[in-house]
Amino acid sequence: MADIETILSKNEKISHETLRANADQIDQARRFPRENLQVLGEADVLGLLIPTQYGGAGAGIAEMSQVLDIQAQNCASTAMVTLMHYCATAVIAAKASDALKRQILPACARGEHISTLAFSETGSGGHFYMPVSEVGQNGGHKTLSATKSFVTSAGEANSYVVSARKAGAAAPTETNLYVIANDAQGFSTKGRFEGLGLTGNASAPMSLEEVAIDDATRLGEEGTGFQTMLDVVLPYFQIGVASVSVGLAKAAQQLILGRMSARKYEHAGGAALASIPRVQYMAAEITLAVNSGQAFLQETVRKVLAAHPAAMLDVLGVKVAAADACLAAVSRAMTLGGGWAFGKRGGLERIFRDAQAAAVMAPSSDVLKDFIGKASLGLPLF
Ligand SMILES: Cc1cc2nc3c(=O)[nH]c(=O)nc-3n(C[C@H](O)[C@H](O)[C@H](O)COP(=O)(O)OP(=O)(O)OC[C@H]3O[C@@H](n4cnc5c(N)ncnc54)[C@H](O)[C@@H]3O)c2cc1C
């Protein structure tokens, strides 16, 4: 395993070269970015968060954010697959038994095993931390039947971190997390979601029919899944989605600033679009949006690493703030790009579609504002 600095610099090179070169084709063919993952795996990028004792680089949330930002500048579908893999490996590293870690993490570190989160269910939608599925029994064995919606890397990942209520749960927050292998009997995916954006991330519903589960594949103690989602998964997920949003905003900014100088008007003696004061004003709005998203992200990472008392409030807010900043920057860029942006030629159209996902992905921006309001007022979140 390479050291962290080497992995970060390899990720940057691969993102700007391989991911950028493949992005339009992956988007248009709605194809899982298998070749990108192969190269990222060989460069140890997929083992970034895995503890060194299991063959990984032992990096943390700050390095994850850097990796995803640069990937998203070039191919947000690949960044989203990487993010969900990181969330899954982080929670496995934090909560699995040593035997389960030894079974999964070294292969993840070698780039041979992709994992993901399968939390959301149609029964609870955006309130994904409250699954309606419940652990059952069949002939003395524990089983799980569930319909999971919108799973990134569905049918492509080697394993899935799945949530369910514990058997006989008295409250929807009494949940367990399990690792389920892609070849488990009773596991299947149900067609593609065919999303507006992030078309390469293989988002699809997943069906679990009486899949055998046991305590050895449970992450953490019985009934602690909800707390694990809050303590472990939420910071990685929120900061990760925010990093993807910031990366997308930067990509839009870069494209449109170049376009504003390149677009010349014959009727005005060859003056560039960039020479118009009102257009300069809009360029300022894009710059402010990108910088504010980036600043909120950096501040959240700083607070999380420092275990700051206000870290959780920023973790809740960062995904909303970055999504809003990204949507503001990308929308302005689309307007300034005119017909060039409206068509597929410029690359902005894909960024515009990809940028819509962050606000919808659970917890959605609206649900998060509900939490942030309660937290700001000192009220309990649940
Ligand atoms: C690209 C993409 C990738 C995804 N990848 C994964 C994955 O890997 N794993 C996974 O488990 N899930 C994944 N999801 C699913 C995601 O996390 C959500 O569960 C899903 O987007 C919620 O969809 P829904 O239509 O059921 O929302 P609904 O529950 O129907 O909510 C619709 C909208 O209602 C509003 N709303 C709901 N409740 C409230 C409230 N209390 N206050 C204010 N407004 C509210 C929100 O604006 C919300 O967006 C992914 C989703 C997308 C779009």
Side-chain angles (χ1 to χ4, degrees):
M1 171 68 50
D3 61 76
I4 295 171
E5 281 312 311
T6 306
I7 294 173
L8 294 179
S9 97
K10 280 187 179 174
N11 177 69
E12 188 165 355
K13 186 169 161 37
I14 293 166
S15 296
H16 290 320
E17 293 174 4
T18 313
L19 270 59
R20 179 167 296 188
N22 294 336
D24 283 334
Q25 210 279 328
I26 283 168
D27 174 61
Q28 280 158 34
R30 309 181 80 87
R31 184 166 67 67
F32 191 69
R34 183 62 68 185
E35 71 274 45
N36 291 347
L37 297 172
Q38 173 80 26
V39 183
L40 291 168
E42 286 164 5
D44 296 335
V45 176
L46 301 179
L48 186 77
L49 300 185
I50 293 167
T52 49
Q53 71 198 96
Y54 298 101
I61 225 153
E63 293 84 6
M64 175 195 77
S65 178
Q66 281 183 54
V67 163
L68 296 172
D69 174 338
I70 296 167
Q71 287 189 6
Q73 288 177 40
N74 296 285
C75 176
S77 286
T78 304
M80 186 53 64
V81 170
T82 305
L83 162 61
M84 299 314 280
H85 171 76
Y86 281 161
C87 289
T89 59
V91 70
I92 292 168
K95 296 291 176 183
S97 66
D98 184 55
L100 188 55
K101 286 185 204 176
R102 275 190 278 111
Q103 193 186 319
I104 296 175
L105 295 182
C108 290
R110 291 192 300 272
E112 295 163 4
H113 184 120
I114 303 287
S115 196
T116 191
L117 301 179
F119 287 174
S120 51
E121 299 185 358
T122 41
S124 49
H127 308 269
F128 75 97
Y129 35 83
M130 293 196 182
V132 294
S133 62
E134 188 171 319
V135 173
Q137 288 276 341
N138 187 352
H141 298 289
K142 286 184 180 167
T143 60
L144 180 56
S145 295
T147 305
K148 296 290 179 181
S149 42
F150 301 100
V151 179
T152 294
S153 307
E156 302 284 350
N158 303 82
S159 67
Y160 300 82
V161 176
V162 174
S163 57
R165 292 187 193 188
K166 73 174 197 179
T173 50
E174 290 183 8
T175 57
N176 287 334
L177 302 179
Y178 294 93
V179 179
I180 291 181
N182 63 344
D183 57 358
Q185 202 172 353
F187 164 89
S188 61
T189 54
K190 293 197 158 175
R192 287 288 163 93
F193 177 58
E194 305 294 359
L196 171 73
L198 299 181
T199 59
N201 83 335
S203 231
M206 253 173 56
S207 167
L208 304 173
E209 287 175 32
E210 301 237 326
V211 172
I213 51 172
D214 58 33
D215 294 349
T217 55
R218 195 184 60 221
L219 300 177
E221 297 298 314
E222 176 79 0
T224 60
F226 178 77
Q227 202 57 45
T228 300
M229 285 189 206
L230 286 187
D231 296 344
V232 183
V233 180
L234 196 68
Y236 283 99
F237 178 75
Q238 295 280 107
I239 288 173
V241 177
S243 306
V244 172
S245 291
V246 168
L248 278 164
K250 286 178 186 169
Q253 180 188 34
Q254 206 184 357
L255 277 176
I256 200 60
L257 294 183
R259 172 70 186 170
M260 282 159 65
S261 299
R263 173 77 170 109
K264 302 270 175 31
Y265 291 108
E266 217 176 313
H267 79 278
L273 184 62
S275 68
I276 301 170
R278 174 70 190 156
V279 166
Q280 294 160 6
Y281 176 93
M282 289 194 259
E285 289 181 325
I286 292 173
T287 301
L288 288 171
V290 171
N291 290 354
S292 65
Q294 171 92 56
F296 200 135
L297 176 58
Q298 284 171 343
E299 177 60 5
T300 306
V301 170
R302 188 189 70 76
K303 284 205 179 100
V304 167
L305 293 179
H308 191 284
M312 185 47 116
L313 190 60
D314 276 9
V315 163
L316 292 172
V318 70
K319 176 172 165 288
V320 181
D324 285 352
C326 179
L327 289 173
V330 174
S331 302
R332 265 284 171 256
M334 284 295 291
T335 311
L336 281 173
W340 170 82
F342 195 71
K344 286 192 183 291
R345 280 173 298 159
L348 255 180
E349 177 263 359
R350 168 169 55 80
I351 292 169
F352 176 79
R353 286 185 287 106
D354 289 349
Q356 310 301 317
V360 177
M361 287 184 80
S364 70
S365 289
D366 289 330
V367 169
L368 284 166
K369 283 180 189 165
D370 189 22
F371 289 154
I372 295 161
K374 283 179 178 152
S376 305
L377 292 163
L379 300 171
L381 296 193
F382 297 99

